[in-house]
């Protein structure tokens, strides 16, 4: 899961870099491995700064000063494919044809076939293991076929039409053509999010335009007329005109439901669904589940959220059950999100660096901890043990999401079934594994209803991690087996390559205390 943005200013004398940087700060929760910005200035010249680390680590004042230009593309990386090498930080760039820059959020499911095609047929060199570079080169190869000295919007639409046929999986993309403009498009199923907006230029002449992964970016930067880029839609913005066309209309539009559970900020609205309201309703549904299971044996004294994404659900759950809501964990906000940290051991160690249990809220009480989900179980296990260490009598654990039993192939780092604590196990087995007295999982129908009720036009969601139904229709058992083997090899690779990066992240956290 990554954060992407693109900006074009109406006034070509102004610099886009400061607001691109701000966009990455607002999207930092979506990726903490690497960050990058590429801008375009006079005569189509491109300026680049990218590297491994948090946004504030990568972009120093001297580097920012060098990024001139009135338009640009930005990316915050969370890797699900490739390696943590600096070379895989995005945005990616190819000089031929026309000078193309691209940032990608998602994951391709036919990357092996694409890599073979680009090597043997298109004869385009691929320099990294990233599927995003494949996506960029497919686009570039399709544009190359025009053979034109200068291209127009129709040529771009035709190139992306071909890309839709060739590239399978999940992708939200922002791109830039040197001296021409910026582009935004989504995969035909709409799995990954992308929004678009405009604002009146400070110069008073024309409008500035922006794409971003979440609406909160556009809200914060005073953009208006904010709307979702539709699944299968392409929007091209030049200095003179905005041209948009929906090239593919799928019958099944299936946004990723995990955006609403965990990834997106609560102040964002994605595909017409306010994330905060959806999480509140998840709390309502989860309260019914708790009441249904415990019935007259309800002995919970207090509801405590695992900060931060579960707060809304926990608050509404406590209200529905008539139980007190307490903040029992104090959070160190200068340690990154454990779910998207590279490596399981890194995640485990950082739980206690990140959270501290307050004894007064636990001692002698039966507590219900509420989290957004249970993935590998290591974080939940540590949190439950922390509650017991400060005196909790019983520790119940409620998940706003159903049990995650299948790997994700669309851009979330849960590739191996062996890593999923609920895979092949009953709820009681999960409770035993993480040390809880009981575990409550949200029912999948209730989760879907909590999102769909705010936009009835969306009939389905990508729920593959819960039910194993992959919406693109090209994910076979053989594919999953190969993916698991490949990701296992990559995990070993990352373990050795991440040593320096992990030390850097530790030092960063310590410096901020």
């Amino acid at each position: 899961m990554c954060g992407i943005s693109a900006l074009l200013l109406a006034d070509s004398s102004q610099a886009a870099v400061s607001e691109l940087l701000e966009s990455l700060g607002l999207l930092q929760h979506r990726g903490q491995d690497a960050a990058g910005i590429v801008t375009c200035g006079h005569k189509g010249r491109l300026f680049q700064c990218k590297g491994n680390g948090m946004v504030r680590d990568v972009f120093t004042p001297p580097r920012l000063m060098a990024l001139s230009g009135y338009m640009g593309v930005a990316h915050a990386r969370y890797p699900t494919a490739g390696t943590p090498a600096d070379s895989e930080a995005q945005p990616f760039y190819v000089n031929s044809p026309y000078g193309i820059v691209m940032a990608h959020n998602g994951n391709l499911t036919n990357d092996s076939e694409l890599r073979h095609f680009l090597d043997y047929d298109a004869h385009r060199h691929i320099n990294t293991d990233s599927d995003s570079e494949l996506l960029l080169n497919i686009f570039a190869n399709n544009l190359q076929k025009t053979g034109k000295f200068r291209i127009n919007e129709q040529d771009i639409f035709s190139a992306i039409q071909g890309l839709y046929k060739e590239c399978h999986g999940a992708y939200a993309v922002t791109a830039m053509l040197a001296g021409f403009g910026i582009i935004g498009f989504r995969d035909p199923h709409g799995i990954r999010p992308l929004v678009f907006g405009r604002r009146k230029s400070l110069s008073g002449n024309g409008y500035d335009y922006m794409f971003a992964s979440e609406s909160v970016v556009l809200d914060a930067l005073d953009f208006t007329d904010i709307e979702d880029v539709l699944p299968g839609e392409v929007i091209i913005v030049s200095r003179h005109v905005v041209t948009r066309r929906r090239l593919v209309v799928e019958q099944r539009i299936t946004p990723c439901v995990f955006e609403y559970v965990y990834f997106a900020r609560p102040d964002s609205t994605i595909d017409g669904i306010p994330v905060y309201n959806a999480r509140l309703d998840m709390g309502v549904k989860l309260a019914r589940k708790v009441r249904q299971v415990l019935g007259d044996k309800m002995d919970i004294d207090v509801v405590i959220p695992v900060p931060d994404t579960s707060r809304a659900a926990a608050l509404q759950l406590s209200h529905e059950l008539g139980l007190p809501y307490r903040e029992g964990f104090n959070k160190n906000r200068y340690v990154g999100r454990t779910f998207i940290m590279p490596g399981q051991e890194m995640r485990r160690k950082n739980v206690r660096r990140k959270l501290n249990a307050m004894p007064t809220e636990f001692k002698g009480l039966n507590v219900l901890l509420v989290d957004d989900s249970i993935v590998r179980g290591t974080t939940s296990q540590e949190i439950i043990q922390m509650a017991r260490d400060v005196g909790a009598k019983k520790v119940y654990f409620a998940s706003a999401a159903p049990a995650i039993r299948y790997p994700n192939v669309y851009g979330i780092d849960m590739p191996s079934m062996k890593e999923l604590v609920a895979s092949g196990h009953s709820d009681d087995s999960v409770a035993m594994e993480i040390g809880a007295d009981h575990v409550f999982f949200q029912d999948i129908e209730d989760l879907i209803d909590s999102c769909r009720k705010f936009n009835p036009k969306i009939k389905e969601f990508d729920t593959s991690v819960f039910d194993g139904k992959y919406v693109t229709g090209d994910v076979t058992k053989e594919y999953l087996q190969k993916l698991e083997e490949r990701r296992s090899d990559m995990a070993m690779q990352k373990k050795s390559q991440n040593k320096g990066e992990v030390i850097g992240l530790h030092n960063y956290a310590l410096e901020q205390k």
Side-chain angles (χ1 to χ4, degrees):
M1 195 66 62
C2 301
I4 61 175
S5 63
L7 173 65
L8 186 148
L9 300 176
D11 186 350
S12 60
S13 67
Q14 298 298 309
V17 62
S18 62
E19 291 184 307
L20 288 169
L21 177 67
E22 191 168 350
S23 75
L24 290 185
L26 292 163
L27 296 172
Q28 181 75 89
H29 61 286
R30 299 185 69 87
Q32 300 176 349
D33 262 37
I37 295 174
V38 179
T39 58
C40 182
H42 186 57
K43 294 184 178 180
R45 185 176 178 184
L46 300 176
F47 303 87
Q48 171 182 286
C49 175
K50 61 181 183 176
N52 282 1
M54 306 274 280
V55 171
R56 63 179 66 184
D57 297 330
V58 173
F59 301 104
T60 62
R63 290 175 176 174
L64 291 170
M65 291 292 292
L67 297 176
S68 61
Y70 64 95
M71 65 176 174
V73 173
H75 186 273
R77 183 175 187 247
Y78 156 67
T80 55
T83 69
D86 280 347
S87 62
E88 299 201 0
Q90 295 188 43
F92 282 127
Y93 161 74
V94 290
N95 68 329
S96 178
Y98 315 117
I100 309 170
V101 177
M102 182 176 285
H104 164 222
N105 172 31
N107 198 62
L108 300 182
T109 54
N110 65 330
D111 55 318
S112 297
E113 294 86 347
L114 294 174
R115 192 174 298 276
H116 184 276
F117 166 76
L118 289 167
D119 188 10
Y120 286 85
D121 297 303
H123 310 304
R124 300 188 70 91
H125 175 68
I126 304 302
N127 198 51
T128 71
D129 293 323
S130 173
D131 60 338
S132 303
E133 191 183 9
L134 301 177
L135 194 70
L136 168 60
N137 276 273
I138 291 292
F139 179 47
N141 186 61
N142 291 344
L143 276 181
Q144 190 85 55
K145 294 175 184 176
T146 66
K148 290 184 176 180
F149 177 66
R150 289 284 184 267
I151 56 172
N152 56 33
E153 283 82 359
Q154 181 55 49
D155 297 321
I156 296 171
F157 284 130
S158 297
I160 298 177
Q161 180 83 66
L163 180 149
Y164 278 137
K165 294 176 182 177
E166 296 166 288
C167 297
H168 306 155
Y171 44 92
V173 174
T174 54
M176 177 172 63
L177 268 63
F180 185 94
I182 59 174
I183 306 163
F185 61 93
R186 288 174 81 185
D187 66 80
H189 292 278
I191 299 171
R192 301 269 71 88
L194 188 66
V195 297
F196 174 67
R198 70 174 187 173
R199 71 180 176 199
K200 192 71 176 176
S201 172
L202 292 176
S203 67
N205 297 318
Y207 287 90
D208 304 327
Y209 293 94
M210 191 170 200
F211 297 98
S213 292
E214 296 186 31
S215 63
V216 64
V217 175
L218 277 64
D219 286 331
L221 296 175
D222 297 323
F223 281 77
T224 58
D225 303 318
I226 301 170
E227 55 185 310
D228 296 283
V229 178
L230 297 175
E233 182 181 31
V234 181
I235 302 178
I236 304 170
V237 184
S238 70
R239 290 187 60 197
H240 309 292
V241 66
V242 176
T243 313
R244 57 195 305 172
R245 191 176 299 172
R246 197 169 183 192
L247 300 179
V248 182
V249 181
E250 284 280 356
Q251 290 184 346
R252 298 179 67 198
I253 298 172
T254 52
C256 175
V257 77
F258 222 70
E259 289 283 351
Y260 306 98
V261 172
Y262 175 81
F263 276 108
R265 280 179 44 149
D267 45 349
S268 285
T269 297
I270 296 176
D271 287 312
I273 300 170
V275 175
Y276 182 75
N277 295 75
R279 289 179 183 169
L280 285 175
D281 199 68
M282 290 175 204
V284 173
K285 304 287 199 303
L286 194 54
R288 294 175 187 170
K289 182 69 174 286
V290 173
R291 186 181 288 114
Q292 175 188 343
V293 173
L294 292 183
D296 296 335
K297 297 180 181 179
M298 177 85 69
D299 60 350
I300 300 169
D301 298 311
V302 63
V303 175
I304 295 176
V306 177
D308 284 317
T309 47
S310 63
R311 280 198 169 106
L315 182 65
Q316 197 65 22
L317 180 148
S318 69
H319 176 75
E320 293 291 317
L321 294 180
L323 295 171
Y325 170 96
R326 294 289 185 269
E327 293 284 348
F329 293 102
N330 187 51
K331 182 177 180 180
N332 176 3
R333 301 186 180 280
Y334 301 102
V335 177
R337 297 178 92 176
T338 55
F339 179 89
I340 58 176
M341 283 183 174
Q344 183 165 318
E345 187 61 27
M346 178 69 168
R347 282 185 289 268
R348 182 193 296 272
K349 289 180 179 179
N350 272 276
V351 174
R352 288 183 182 259
R353 292 189 181 99
K354 185 177 180 179
L355 295 177
N356 186 48
M358 293 182 279
T360 54
E361 302 301 334
F362 290 93
K363 192 172 183 179
L365 299 176
N366 297 334
V367 300
L368 173 61
L369 302 182
V370 180
D371 206 351
D372 49 71
S373 58
I374 304 174
V375 184
R376 294 165 176 87
T378 52
T379 298
S380 304
Q381 186 179 48
E382 290 292 326
I383 289 170
I384 290 167
Q385 188 57 51
M386 288 168 64
R388 295 194 188 280
D389 289 344
V390 292
K393 287 198 309 183
K394 285 186 178 181
V395 182
Y396 296 104
F397 204 93
S399 167
I404 297 171
R405 305 188 189 277
Y406 300 90
N408 184 277
V409 301
Y410 300 129
I412 301 176
D413 187 19
M414 7 171 141
S416 173
M417 291 182 69
K418 297 176 183 177
E419 294 179 315
L420 305 176
V421 68
S423 179
H425 296 97
S426 66
D427 294 357
D428 289 340
S429 296
V430 173
M432 185 177 299
E433 178 68 24
I434 66 176
D437 289 281
H438 194 88
V439 169
F440 307 93
F441 283 109
Q442 185 87 266
D443 291 331
I444 191 168
E445 295 82 7
D446 287 340
L447 175 61
I448 291 171
D449 185 65
S450 291
C451 300
R452 186 170 52 202
K453 68 182 296 182
F454 298 101
N455 184 359
K457 293 180 181 179
I458 298 178
K459 305 299 182 184
E460 300 180 61
F461 293 84
D462 168 46
T463 56
S464 54
V465 295
F466 309 124
D467 57 19
K469 298 176 182 177
Y470 297 96
V471 297
T472 53
D474 60 341
V475 179
T476 63
K477 290 182 179 179
E478 292 74 21
Y479 173 87
L480 292 175
Q481 181 60 37
K482 289 180 180 178
L483 181 65
E484 186 159 335
E485 292 170 359
R486 186 171 61 178
R487 292 294 174 85
S488 296
D489 292 339
M490 287 180 179
M492 294 298 293
Q493 219 175 2
K494 287 181 181 181
K495 189 173 183 181
S496 59
Q497 292 181 349
N498 271 333
K499 286 181 180 177
E501 185 177 342
V502 167
I503 291 170
L505 186 55
H506 282 189
N507 289 341
Y508 170 76
L510 291 171
E511 287 169 4
Q512 300 300 320
K513 287 185 178 180

